[in-house]
């Protein structure tokens, strides 16, 4: 629920680990309430460790790909980052798609929603064991954790166990998140219509199954922001590239289907395989940018973000793909959201 007209802004900490402290300070000074990392060209956890406790902000993985990692590894990293950030860390997990799991991470793929459900429950079971001193006894189909000698117990975290969030796009994973996770990271490739017609009903179903009355949502928004025509052109180029990449992925076709653009997905996929990147960009029309992203001045972007999400959340994650808006525009966006 949107609280007192306030919407907090989370921004991507898109810097190398050896340079991220300066970047983090710049973003926080501009008005970011939180910083997040994702599984890109650098490790998802190390940049957060580099800035934890050095900047006064919330920190989050958005997302850490869970399938290649042991729940024990995830729990240890989350526990330590919760300590280092003085209780301001959230562990955001995601499943990725099969080709990346098998061909990039070199690990095994299996039923994604069922496996992610189990990973979330396993991580929480480990965290609870450390926090409360209860015996660790998690027995699942995909992972098992039944041994925790005192030597390996970090002891109760003075800030409490960190929340475990789950990223999702499809109805099954979204429902799973609402059943077992501490919040939903709404995948950035979506439209307002898809969010309302597909995501929110799946959230409601998951909450009903779990007997929940409240469940935090963390929408992620792709933003093309600028004040001049040149700035907006540059920003839209980066946004079109990201939308083309997402749109080429078969698993993300339902978003395009909702808007009547489903037939574009196999075309984008074929272009991605042939390496015709510029043609992929050209296939992303202005109406697609407006539906799948947000563009305009900082004030216009804030107004659109508020229109889409103000009734369901009090914070939003913004991406600026392929371009870096000046600090004063980020500050204007943060101020307008508030």
């Amino acid at each position: 629920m949107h609280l007192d007209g306030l919407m907090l802004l989370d921004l991507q900490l898109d810097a190398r680990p050896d340079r991220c402290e300066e970047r983090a300070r710049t973003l926080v000074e501009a008005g970011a309430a939180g910083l997040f990392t994702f599984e890109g060209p650098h490790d998802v956890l190390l940049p957060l460790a580099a800035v934890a406790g050095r900047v006064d902000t919330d920190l989050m993985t958005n997302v850490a790909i869970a399938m290649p990692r042991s729940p024990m590894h995830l729990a240890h990293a989350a526990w330590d980052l919760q300590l280092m950030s003085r209780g301001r860390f959230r562990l955001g997990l995601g499943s990725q798609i099969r080709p990346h799991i098998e061909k990039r991470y070199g690990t095994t793929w299996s039923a994604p929603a069922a496996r992610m459900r189990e990973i979330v429950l396993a991580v929480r079971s480990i965290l609870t064991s450390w926090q409360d001193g209860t015996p660790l006894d998690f027995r699942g189909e995909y992972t098992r954790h039944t041994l925790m000698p005192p030597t390996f117990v970090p002891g109760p975290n003075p800030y409490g166990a960190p929340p475990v969030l789950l990223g999702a796009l499809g109805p099954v994973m979204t429902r799973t998140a609402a059943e077992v996770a501490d919040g939903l990271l709404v995948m950035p490739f979506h439209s307002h219509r898809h969010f309302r017609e597909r995501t929110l009903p799946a959230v409601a179903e998951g909450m009903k199954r779990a007997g929940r009355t409240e469940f935090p949502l963390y929408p992620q928004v792709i933003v093309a922001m600028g004040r001049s025509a040149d700035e907006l052109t540059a920003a839209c180029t980066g946004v079109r590239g990201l939308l083309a990449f997402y749109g080429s992925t078969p698993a993300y076709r339902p978003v395009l289907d909702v808007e009547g653009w489903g037939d574009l997905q196999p075309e984008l996929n074929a272009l991605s395989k042939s390496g015709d990147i510029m043609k992929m960009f050209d296939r992303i029309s202005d109406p697609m940018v407006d539906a799948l992203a947000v563009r305009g001045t900082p004030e216009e972007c804030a107004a659109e973000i508020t229109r889409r999400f103000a009734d369901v959340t009090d914070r939003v994650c913004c991406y600026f793909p392929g371009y870096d808006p000046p600090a004063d525009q980020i500050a204007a966006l943060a101020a307008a959201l508030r």
Side-chain angles (χ1 to χ4, degrees):
M1 182 64 69
H2 195 201
L3 303 176
D4 301 324
L6 172 68
M7 185 173 287
L8 301 177
L9 177 64
D10 293 330
L11 295 176
Q12 181 183 337
L13 182 58
D14 52 349
R16 284 175 20 179
D18 59 339
R19 299 176 182 172
C20 60
E21 184 176 348
E22 179 182 357
R23 177 63 173 170
R25 293 189 185 281
T26 298
L27 295 176
V28 171
E29 289 172 1
L35 302 174
F36 62 86
T37 54
F38 82 115
E39 295 272 12
H42 299 286
D43 186 79
V44 72
L45 297 165
L46 289 179
L48 298 180
V51 304
R54 298 176 180 270
V55 290
D56 187 23
T57 186
D58 296 337
L59 300 174
M60 174 172 62
T61 55
N62 187 12
V63 292
I65 304 305
M67 284 189 186
R69 294 181 168 94
S70 162
M72 188 64 67
H73 289 135
L74 292 168
H76 273 296
W79 197 260
D80 290 346
L81 282 167
Q82 180 78 329
L83 281 173
M84 296 170 70
S85 66
R86 303 184 184 95
R88 303 189 67 173
F89 177 70
R90 288 163 282 158
L91 178 65
L93 301 177
S95 61
Q96 250 297 350
I97 58 175
R98 184 169 187 167
H100 283 261
I101 294 298
E102 293 182 338
K103 298 178 182 179
R104 183 157 69 97
Y105 289 101
T107 188
T108 58
W109 172 264
S110 53
R115 191 165 167 189
M116 291 304 302
R117 174 192 182 96
E118 196 167 290
I119 290 171
V120 169
L121 293 174
V123 171
R124 184 181 289 119
S125 179
I126 295 166
L127 295 174
T128 300
S129 173
W130 292 342
Q131 188 70 17
D132 299 341
T134 54
L136 179 60
D137 188 21
F138 184 86
R139 302 170 188 266
E141 180 180 355
Y142 304 99
T143 188
R144 175 176 296 200
H145 306 275
T146 59
L147 178 66
M148 184 52 62
T151 302
F152 303 102
V153 176
N157 196 308
Y159 304 103
V164 183
L165 316 179
L166 182 56
L169 175 67
V172 178
M173 190 71 78
T174 301
R175 184 180 66 227
T176 299
E179 284 187 75
V180 302
D182 296 315
L184 170 68
L185 294 165
V186 180
M187 203 262 191
F189 187 70
H190 66 266
S191 65
H192 184 62
R193 184 175 175 184
H194 182 273
F195 178 71
R196 297 287 163 170
E197 295 182 4
R198 303 290 179 89
T199 300
L200 291 184
V203 168
E205 185 179 351
M207 291 175 63
K208 183 178 180 180
R209 290 187 178 190
R212 290 176 159 177
T213 57
E214 294 184 1
F215 181 67
L217 303 180
Y218 300 87
Q220 303 173 68
V221 184
I222 300 168
V223 179
M225 187 171 70
R227 293 203 181 277
S228 70
D230 288 344
E231 287 176 341
L232 281 173
T233 297
C236 284
T237 297
V239 166
R240 290 179 199 276
L242 183 57
L243 294 179
F245 167 74
Y246 279 137
S248 70
T249 305
Y252 302 156
R253 177 169 177 163
V255 175
L256 298 176
D257 285 334
V258 166
E259 299 293 339
W261 298 319
D263 290 344
L264 183 60
Q265 185 277 317
E267 181 182 345
L268 289 171
N269 185 264
L271 289 171
S272 70
K273 292 178 179 178
S274 68
D276 197 342
I277 303 302
M278 294 310 300
K279 192 169 184 179
M280 288 179 67
F281 285 25
D282 291 342
R283 296 296 288 120
I284 305 299
S285 65
D286 285 344
M288 293 180 70
V289 171
D290 290 331
L292 301 172
V294 168
R295 69 171 166 176
T297 66
E299 294 77 15
E300 290 168 341
C301 289
E304 178 62 14
I305 290 169
T306 300
R307 181 187 75 84
R308 295 187 188 187
F309 302 114
D311 62 327
V312 296
T313 189
D314 60 1
R315 68 190 306 156
V316 64
C317 301
C318 286
Y319 290 85
F320 308 114
Y323 73 105
D324 186 13
D328 66 302
Q329 291 188 22
I330 294 175
L333 175 66
L337 286 170
R338 291 195 296 269

